[in-house]
Amino acid sequence: MKFRRSERLIDMTNYLLEHPRQLIPLTFFSDKYDSAKSSISEDLAIIKETFEQRGIGTLQTVPGAAGGVKFFVKVGNQEVKPFINELCELIASPERLLPGGYLYMTDILGNPSIVQKAGRLFASAYAHADIDVVMTVATKGIPLAYAVASQLNVPVVIVRRDSKVTEGSTVSINYVSGSTKRIQTMVLSKRSLEEGSKVLIVDDFMKAGGTINGMVSLLDEFNALVAGIAVLVESEEIEERLVEDYLSLVKLSNVDVKEKKISVSEGNYFKHN
C-alpha cells in the first residue's frame, strides 16, 4: 500500500510519540511506507520542526549504518509555567483541608489530564538521562509514576509496605519516617529490578524525605543507582531534609487549619532545569 505524504506524516508522528527514546532505523520507515530514505528524511525534518515549534519534543538523528532517529519529550517553559500555576491554585483551595492539617489530593492524582501533564514535565526534565526504570511507593504515586514511565519508555517498579505472595521472594528494609520518626518497612520483589539498574524515583508528596530516603537505601540492596528524584509536591516547613537533590513542581509553604489557608508556590523545577 502506497501512502500519501500527509498520511505518512501522521502515521510517523503517531509512531514516534508511542515509542519515545527508542532508536528507530530509517529503513523501518522506508520499508513500512515503501518510500526512499531521502523522502523519509525530509518527512522527519518536517516533524522535528513541528515538534520543536509546538513544544512537543525533539528528534535526535543517530548517524551511521546502525543509526536512525529518536524522539525525546521536551516541554517548553511557556507550557510548564501555566500548568504549575494551575496546580498551585488547585492545591491552595481551602476545601482541600482535612482534619489534622492533611490535604486531600486524590482528585488531582486521579485526574488523567493533570497526571499526564505532570508526567510529561518530569519526563522532559530527565529525557536525556540514563534511566532503566521508574520507581515509586504504593499507592498514591503509582499513576504519576506510570505517566512518567510511558514518556520515558521504561517499566515501573512499585515498592510496597508488605510482601505479596504473587511477587515471590522479596528484599525488605527498615527505615525511619522523616516526619513521624517511626520505623517502617518497605519491600521489593527480587525479580522486579536488575542489578545495576539506573532508577528514577517518583513520588506524589515529600515532607522530610524519609520514604524516598528509604527507597534509596533499598536500591543499595540491588546495587542499583539513583538517576533522579521527582516529586509532585514538596513541603517547605521541614527542620531537616533527608533528600537534597530532587525536582519538584509545587512547594507547600504553610497550612493554617484555623484560618483555612493553604500557602503554595512553584517548586524548584525551573532552578533544576
Side-chain angles (χ1 to χ4, degrees), residues 80-102:
V80 175
K81 202 160 187 69
F83 174 69
I84 292 181
N85 289 339
E86 177 188 351
L87 263 182
C88 289
E89 289 179 11
L90 283 171
I91 296 172
S93 172
E95 289 77 18
R96 200 164 292 284
L97 271 174
L98 296 173
Y102 294 100

Side-chain angles (χ1 to χ4, degrees), residues 90-213:
L90 283 171
I91 296 172
S93 172
E95 289 77 18
R96 200 164 292 284
L97 271 174
L98 296 173
Y102 294 100
L103 299 184
Y104 181 76
M105 296 285 291
T106 305
D107 60 329
I108 292 176
L109 294 167
N111 187 315
S113 177
I114 293 176
V115 171
Q116 286 299 322
K117 288 179 181 177
R120 285 191 70 235
L121 263 61
F122 286 141
S124 176
Y126 294 100
H128 294 280
D130 192 2
I131 295 170
D132 299 313
V133 70
V134 169
M135 172 185 278
T136 193
V137 65
T139 57
K140 289 183 179 179
I142 293 177
L144 183 59
Y146 272 101
V148 178
S150 67
Q151 298 290 339
L152 293 176
N153 202 14
V154 296
V156 174
V157 168
I158 300 173
V159 177
R160 303 190 183 278
R161 306 293 183 183
D162 50 15
S163 59
K164 303 282 184 182
V165 176
T166 53
E167 294 191 341
S169 58
T170 59
V171 174
S172 66
I173 65 160
N174 294 323
Y175 70 99
V176 179
S177 170
S179 54
T180 63
K181 303 299 181 183
R182 292 185 302 173
I183 295 185
Q184 301 189 47
T185 302
M186 58 173 59
V187 300
L188 184 63
S189 169
K190 286 185 177 179
R191 301 187 185 191
S192 63
L193 193 62
E194 293 184 6
E195 185 173 330
S197 295
K198 300 172 185 66
V199 182
L200 173 62
I201 296 175
V202 173
D203 209 355
D204 62 306
F205 193 88
M206 181 177 72
K207 290 183 181 178
T211 300
I212 290 176
N213 202 38

Side-chain angles (χ1 to χ4, degrees), residues 33-59:
Y33 306 120
D34 191 22
S35 300
K37 286 186 179 180
S38 57
S39 298
I40 297 299
S41 296
E42 292 173 2
D43 293 344
L44 289 171
I46 294 172
I47 294 172
K48 174 181 171 67
E49 183 179 0
T50 304
F51 277 178
E52 293 177 351
Q53 287 180 347
R54 304 298 299 174
I56 297 171
T58 187
L59 296 183

